[in-house]
Amino acid sequence: MKEIVILGAGYAGLKALRHLQADKGDFHITLVDRNEYHYEATDLHEVAAGTQPKGKITFPIADVVKGSTTFERAEVKEIDRKQQKVMLKNGKTLAYDYLIIALGFRSESFGIKGVAENALEMVDVKTAENVYQHIVEQMKDYAITKNKDDLRIVVCGAGFTGIELLGALEDSRKKLAAMAGVEPEKLQFYCVEAVTRLLPMFDEKLADYGISMLKSWGIKFLTGKPIKEIKPDTVIYQDDKETGATKELTAKTIIWTTGVSGSNVMEASGFSQRRGRVMVSPGLTDTEFSNVYIVGDVSAVMNAENNRPYPTTAQIALSMGEHAAKNILSQLKGGSITPFTFKSLGSVASIGNTHAFGLVGKSMVKGYPASFVKKMIMDKSLLETGGVKELLSKGRFDLYH
Ligand code: NAD
């Protein structure tokens, strides 16, 4: 019996698992993840802002482990492609015939001084919960200290993650202000961003629409201000490109959302990678080992239309997971590997629970209708990773509950 090992129970890993399980062929699957739950990485900002509890964006991996699948809760240490083995941090070694690496992302500091020590990251459920806990503590502290920095939150980076986090924080403004015992407008939300042209994947008007909405709620954007260092309770950014002069912004909450890299297991295992992403063959396999699939945020796959790798999104991760599973099933039956193709359905950024903006296909969507579309996108991912049971209990529309 052939052994298929899947590393990571995120979007790509679970989609691959579900596709393989549906086949009922003569193989056994081992799924490895460090958590006993799957989490929707696209919703972490809601946990960080306190608009959703952990339970709403997670479900137990056990719910989707069926038939001849074993779940191994462990952290991956290293992959040995020549020996076809995966070493786990708990000391175990797993042998495989086929491997799907779907180990996801981590926060990228770009080597900026003080990030690890003085900024909060938001890369998994634990760190997202930690952000909210931290904010709550500052609000409570303000009630005693009256230090205005307790009421200031700085989001570093205005990518999709930063924008969605700011929108969710806005939804929590009243609740947080009540904890501090102040009027909601006393809370200050800042975003410090290196470039001036925000959200380059959208046309300028659409990007401006989203940013203007956040600004209209009182959120302050410092754009064209690359962050140079994070000191305790202080963001140091370049204020003047010509002279390099810097300025400081003080705050008790500093959240780091300037981009992501793929899992460091890729580098530790000797893959040829850049920021944890490995350039794969057209069929999503390692360029040397056709039994090793690399999918999701650890994978870089070229978009033939613009000769650049596709951006890492949940949508493409799901699609890659399914494609890897299809190719393995074909290989098991003596067939060949087919190249991966991807047609983006568009991307929508939420700004709080009732606003959003983005593209569906080539059409712009804005405001409440866009927020409806965003919830449909989230529910589609949930259905594809968790199935109907998870959709009914965790889906975004009240009609399920
Ligand atoms: P990102 O790379 O898309 O954005 C990071 C932002 O931080 C950029 O605007 C960048 O200019 C800025 N930045 C980088 N270094 C900086 C510095 N030193 N000082 C100030 N600003 C700095 O990263 P992300 O937002 O974490 O998103 C990661 C990936 O996940 C992207 O591909 C994104 O499209 C995807 N994503 C998608 C969704 C969605 O579809 N709704 C949501 C979240 C993330």
Side-chain angles (χ1 to χ4, degrees), residues 41-43 45 105 108-110 112 155-164 192-202 222 225-229 236-237 256-260 275 277 297 310-315 346-350 374 377:
T42 56
D43 300 352
H45 60 278
F105 67 99
E108 174 63 68
S109 70
F110 301 105
I112 294 170
V155 173
C156 303
F160 261 52
T161 308
I163 296 298
E164 292 198 319
V192 183
E193 161 59 51
V195 302
T196 46
R197 166 71 172 93
L198 306 184
L199 305 173
M201 67 295 270
F202 292 152
L222 303 179
K225 312 282 181 200
I227 296 168
K228 295 293 176 190
E229 188 177 348
I236 300 174
Y237 59 88
W256 193 253
T257 58
T258 65
V260 295
R275 284 174 57 195
R277 292 183 79 188
D297 289 358
Y310 285 105
T312 55
T313 62
Q315 197 186 126
S347 49
V348 178
S350 65
K374 176 77 186 179
I377 294 171

Side-chain angles (χ1 to χ4, degrees), residues 295-345:
V295 293
D297 289 358
V298 287
S299 177
V301 60
M302 292 306 280
N303 178 354
E305 277 175 26
N306 59 12
N307 219 22
R308 287 163 66 180
Y310 285 105
T312 55
T313 62
Q315 197 186 126
I316 198 167
L318 288 164
S319 191
M320 283 177 159
E322 179 168 349
H323 194 81
K326 279 184 181 162
N327 272 347
I328 290 177
L329 292 174
S330 168
Q331 284 174 304
L332 284 168
K333 288 165 193 150
S336 57
I337 291 175
T338 58
F340 174 71
T341 52
F342 179 66
K343 191 97 205 105
S344 170
L345 301 172

Side-chain angles (χ1 to χ4, degrees), residues 24-42:
K24 303 195 180 5
D26 187 26
F27 52 81
H28 174 264
I29 307 168
T30 302
L31 172 69
V32 181
D33 199 283
R34 62 182 155 211
N35 299 313
E36 59 199 344
Y37 54 83
H38 161 85
Y39 64 92
E40 292 178 76
T42 56

